[in-house]
Amino acid sequence: MMQLKNKVALVTGAGSGIGRAIALGFAEEGATVVGTDIDVPAAERVAADLRGAAIALGCDVADGGQVDAAVATVAERFDWIDVLVNNAGRARGGTGRKDVGRRLGHGVRDERPRHVSVLPRGASSHDLAAVRRHHQYRVWTGIRPRPYVAAHAASKAAVISFTETLALEVASYGIRVNAFTPGVMDTPFWRANRTPEEIEEAYTKGEVGQPGDLVPTVVFLASGAAREITGVTIPRQIFVAKEGP
């Protein structure tokens, strides 16, 4: 039984990693997926993989104008949005303790505004009127505070608080808002900042998972089976230590 049959889902950051996995998983469950990404060709490749079950749109979620335009396009084409997955985000910085001095200054001084704009503003700028008609709205994002990434952790804490507040504000419309904290996932972005040795170590310690592992939980939150769940943050899973990929 397809849990999302005839639903329209808007997934940000759908061009790769977690967003791509969610887009593919939603399509397998019967949803029509609109995948947005700042990397338009990447989003188009995902849409092509879904063979008619998805369309791709270019969108930088830190730009309110682009977000409004994307939502308007989806609403005009499909008349409503059943599920909204606010997945897009980014992080920068070194990878080792030796960089702590540089990263503490750089992260707080230069990166914090970008992180906050990508996550909380990206979610809040969506037009709720576009989803009220079908009375369902969800937001997912990740959180895992770690040393030397204070700006990134602060932005994720802001999203959790935003999720809880928005859930109260829109409850009377039958709209649900939840956050999902996937922890560290093996994505192209994650690999780009790590050596082969660091990747191997992360797998050995059980610190990293596969984007596809998240799909069943996200599908559940988007389905009618989770109709009583709102304003909560689903915590990250613990991965079992194993040898590297």
Side-chain angles (χ1 to χ4, degrees), residues 9-13 22 26 83-88 138-140 218 222:
L10 173 58
V11 181
T12 70
I22 292 173
F26 276 16
V83 182
L84 173 61
V85 180
N86 185 56
N87 164 74
R138 298 103 176 165
V139 175
W140 286 275
V218 179

Side-chain angles (χ1 to χ4, degrees), residues 197-218:
E197 293 75 18
E198 288 172 330
I199 293 172
E200 179 74 24
E201 181 181 10
Y203 268 93
T204 301
K205 291 182 177 179
E207 294 178 344
V208 62
Q210 297 294 324
D213 298 340
L214 310 175
V215 173
T217 300
V218 179

